[in-house]
Amino acid sequence: GQQVMQIPQYQHVQEGEDFTTYCNSSTTLSNIQWYKQRPGGHPVFLIQLVKSGEVKKQKRLTFQFGEAKKNSSLHITATQTTDVGTYFCAGPTSGTYKYIFGTGTRLKVLA
Amino acid sequence: DVKVTQSSRYLVKRTGEKVFLECVQDMDHENMFWYRQDPGLGLRLIYFSYDVKMKEKGDIPEGYSVSREKKERFSLILESASTNQTSMYLCASSFRATTFLTEAFFGQGTRLTVV
């Protein structure tokens, strides 16, 4: 079945360092979404990418959608303690309204 | 603001009990979802519903059933709770767009412990 993998599973960084998480799908995605879950919280939508090769920025966060629409990345520049949490990518299961979520990358920022 | 409300934040149930987890959304969303979240496994879809009385199995439906009698409410039922169903359960809802998925809104989660 369709799978969405994320790497790394965990990442510890010093505050001020950059961070990147990668999302890889076994099938082509029509669009991809990114969510952030703070410790003890629930996933919250960050952004959606639709076009092949699309790049979007939100302040220190940069999101990319691969040319083949099978992979995506989230890059955070100069991490802050407020960036702590788990980042998930999600894409639609082919031909349905179901979201399939990646395994998530848990980010810890050391002050 | 969209609100997705789950009936309980924490639940402790005994093995063999029938358990009901309730979820209500206030934005007239067509789609509703139930996920379970376990460390290292991400969010796994149990069931979803795209309209009243309509449901589809997700990736791990065994041991669960669902009910959607009204558009705003989606219930997850554990027919006979077992210890391997101890988990965080997350409900979500979204609009049903024609071309691609829309943003999913999540409830605060129910941490279920089966003893």
Side-chain angles (χ1 to χ4, degrees), chain A residues 37 41-43, chain B residues 5-11 19-23 33-38 43-47 60 62-64 76-78 81-92 106-114:
Chain A
Q37 184 177 25
H42 57 274
Chain B
T5 304
Q6 293 183 227
S7 52
S8 304
R9 191 84 165 102
Y10 299 95
L11 269 182
V19 181
F20 293 85
L21 302 183
E22 306 285 347
C23 176
F33 308 83
W34 276 105
Y35 291 89
R36 65 176 282 177
Q37 183 174 19
D38 301 288
L43 278 70
R44 293 182 292 166
L45 181 64
I46 305 171
Y47 267 98
I60 50 165
E62 296 79 19
Y64 303 94
L76 179 70
I77 303 149
L78 286 66
S82 63
T83 54
N84 63 13
Q85 293 179 308
T86 292
S87 186
M88 171 67 84
Y89 290 88
L90 288 160
C91 174
F106 283 83
Q108 77 277 24
T110 296
R111 184 164 293 282
L112 173 67
T113 303
V114 183

Side-chain angles (χ1 to χ4, degrees), chain A residues 2-4 29 89-93 98-102, chain B residues 35 43 59:
Chain A
Q2 183 178 357
Q3 289 187 322
V4 178
L29 299 169
C89 61
T93 306
K98 292 189 282 189
Y99 303 78
I100 182 167
F101 278 79
Chain B
Y35 291 89
L43 278 70
D59 299 318

